[in-house]
């Protein structure tokens, strides 16, 4: 078993590690000064646990591995940010481990807006170092499929297989997506596929709101450059990010919405269930099937 950090330096190191991997939310209701706790003598050394009941501190809640949270309860509102620069007496090395901030989001917006082709956008994303997820990912997962397609599908973030191959939806959920597309007569030569987040979150954890905000300009520009006639949001995170809504996917799915680009073009968008969710909840495949039939009918109607 790994010993819990007990000195201020060890705690600062752990917090810096969390921040560098994107864990930037503290999930307890009230802030706890662990440094003060660390410098206090340990209670267990003074009295046996049975004689002096001491309230166990709740273990650090780390976002569970991303299992594409569609249909899952909404996440808690964010609590105060962890940032090594807020920690008194943190060692100098930890100070540099800050979480993504507004300056990086602004840079992302600037780099995305200045790309006039998809190739240029890909180069700008490869050059962008403002998202901490890039540090742990093997590859940028930019897109797959046909950029001339009338249909663009957007998922949440790459998983392990996608990170290895540098292509979206190539794992188990990708194989299900291929079958869903085939059911309406489409395949990867006739659709274009991307993700809101182009770098794999470590351990497939859920991307943080900061990470999503930093990556948002890139996917928005990507949609604008592809200019599809129809957009499909695969899962809640894609729908919420690109349709500016906080509604859950089970409520959103099956109803046409619009994604409005920076230049004001409204693209019809169909939110549907994420293939990873369907793998876990096969009874809902019929709902996704209905949504894909809607998409097929829309593409036919648009011509
Ligand atoms: N899930 C996603 O949202 N995107 C992928 O590329 C793979 C799994």
């Amino acid at each position: 078993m790994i010993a819990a950090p007990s000195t201020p330096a060890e705690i600062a190191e752990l917090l810096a590690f969390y921040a560098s991997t994107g864990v930037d939310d503290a999930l307890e209701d009230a802030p706890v000064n662990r440094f003060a706790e660390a410098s206090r003598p340990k209670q267990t050394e003074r009295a046996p646990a049975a004689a002096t009941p001491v309230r166990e501190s709740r273990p650090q809640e780390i976002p569970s591995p991303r299992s594409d949270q569609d249909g899952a309860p909404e996440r808690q509102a964010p609590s105060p940010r962890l940032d090594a620069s807020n920690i008194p007496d943190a060692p100098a090395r930890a100070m540099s481990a800050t979480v993504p901030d507004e300056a990086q989001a602004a840079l992302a917006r600037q780099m995305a807006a200045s790309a006039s082709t998809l190739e240029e956008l890909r180069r700008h994303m490869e050059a962008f170092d403002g998202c901490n997820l890039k540090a742990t990912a093997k590859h940028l997962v930019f897109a797959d499929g046909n950029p001339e397609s009338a249909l663009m599908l957007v998922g949440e973030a790459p998983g392990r297989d996608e990170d290895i191959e540098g292509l979206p939806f190539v794992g188990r959920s990708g194989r299900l997506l291929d079958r869903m597309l085939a059911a309406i007569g489409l395949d990867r030569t006739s659709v274009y596929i991307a993700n809101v987040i182009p770098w794999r979150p470590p351990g497939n954890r859920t991307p943080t709101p900061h990470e999503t905000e930093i990556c948002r300009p890139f996917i928005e520009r990507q949609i604008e450059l592809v200019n599809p006639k129809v957009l499909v949001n695969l899962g809640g995170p894609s729908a919420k990010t690109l349709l500016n809504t906080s509604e859950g996917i089970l409520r959103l799915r099956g109803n046409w919405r619009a994604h409005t680009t920076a230049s004001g073009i409204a693209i019809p968008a169909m939110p549907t269930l994420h293939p990873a969710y369907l793998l876990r909840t096969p009874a809902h495949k019929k709902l996704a099937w209905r949504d894909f039939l809607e998409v097929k009918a829309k593409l036919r109607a648009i011509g």
Side-chain angles (χ1 to χ4, degrees):
M1 207 170 94
I2 299 168
S6 56
T7 67
E10 284 170 356
I11 293 166
E13 207 165 57
L14 180 65
L15 292 177
F17 169 77
Y18 284 155
S20 72
T21 55
V23 180
D24 54 6
D25 288 340
L27 295 182
E28 294 207 49
D29 294 336
V32 178
N33 186 348
R34 302 283 180 205
F35 294 97
E37 283 185 357
S39 51
R40 236 182 274 135
K42 282 190 186 146
Q43 303 218 20
T44 46
E45 283 166 10
R46 283 185 282 126
T52 314
V54 181
R55 191 177 73 87
E56 291 246 318
S57 64
R58 233 188 323 146
Q60 167 83 35
E61 286 178 50
I62 295 178
S64 59
R66 184 166 52 88
S67 46
D68 304 291
Q69 306 205 333
D70 314 289
E74 300 297 328
R75 295 199 303 144
Q76 286 182 339
S79 339
R81 289 171 62 181
L82 293 183
D83 182 329
S85 63
N86 294 333
I87 305 166
D89 304 320
R93 199 167 65 73
M95 293 293 187
S96 63
T98 53
V99 295
D101 63 11
E102 174 51 29
Q104 283 142 6
L107 181 61
R109 285 196 288 274
Q110 196 186 322
M111 289 177 81
S114 66
S116 50
T117 64
L118 286 170
E119 225 9 78
E120 206 177 340
L121 182 66
R122 179 202 282 268
R123 282 201 303 276
H124 287 194
M125 288 164 74
E126 265 159 3
F128 180 70
D129 285 330
C131 180
N132 51 299
L133 296 177
K134 187 179 174 186
T136 47
K138 289 189 173 60
H139 288 111
L140 168 76
V141 177
F142 184 71
D144 194 16
N146 181 355
E148 304 293 320
S149 172
L151 178 61
M152 178 166 177
L153 301 105
V154 182
E156 182 185 10
R160 183 176 171 275
D161 297 315
E162 290 76 20
D163 187 37
I164 291 168
E165 292 199 31
L167 290 170
F169 285 99
V170 292
R172 266 186 86 215
S173 57
R175 288 194 288 281
L176 175 57
L177 178 61
D178 287 342
R179 291 200 295 279
M180 290 158 73
L181 289 170
I184 56 166
L186 298 172
D187 62 21
R188 290 194 187 221
T189 65
S190 50
V191 302
Y192 185 79
I193 308 175
N195 281 308
V196 170
I197 308 278
W199 294 284
R200 180 196 183 199
N204 289 356
R205 66 165 169 75
T206 301
T208 67
H210 290 109
E211 289 157 356
T212 302
E213 278 317 298
I214 282 173
C215 295
R216 175 202 283 275
F218 293 121
I219 185 62
E220 288 185 344
R221 184 67 181 142
Q222 202 167 355
I223 295 170
E224 201 169 23
L225 289 169
V226 173
N227 193 22
K229 290 187 172 147
V230 173
L231 187 69
V232 168
N233 300 100
L234 296 168
S238 167
K240 287 177 188 173
T241 307
L242 298 172
L243 306 178
N244 276 323
T245 174
S246 57
E247 280 179 69
I249 190 67
L250 290 174
R251 199 176 274 270
L252 283 172
R253 63 140 291 275
N255 299 300
W256 286 103
R257 300 274 172 139
H259 168 77
T260 307
T261 66
S263 49
I265 296 171
I267 301 171
M270 172 56 71
T272 191
L273 302 169
H274 194 287
Y277 171 79
L278 296 175
L279 286 171
R280 296 193 309 273
T281 320
H284 280 179
K285 280 186 185 168
K286 59 179 180 292
L287 301 178
W289 169 238
R290 275 183 221 152
D291 303 344
F292 270 60
L293 287 180
E294 278 286 333
V295 170
K296 183 181 181 182
K298 178 73 101 186
L299 287 168
R300 195 167 283 165
I302 289 173

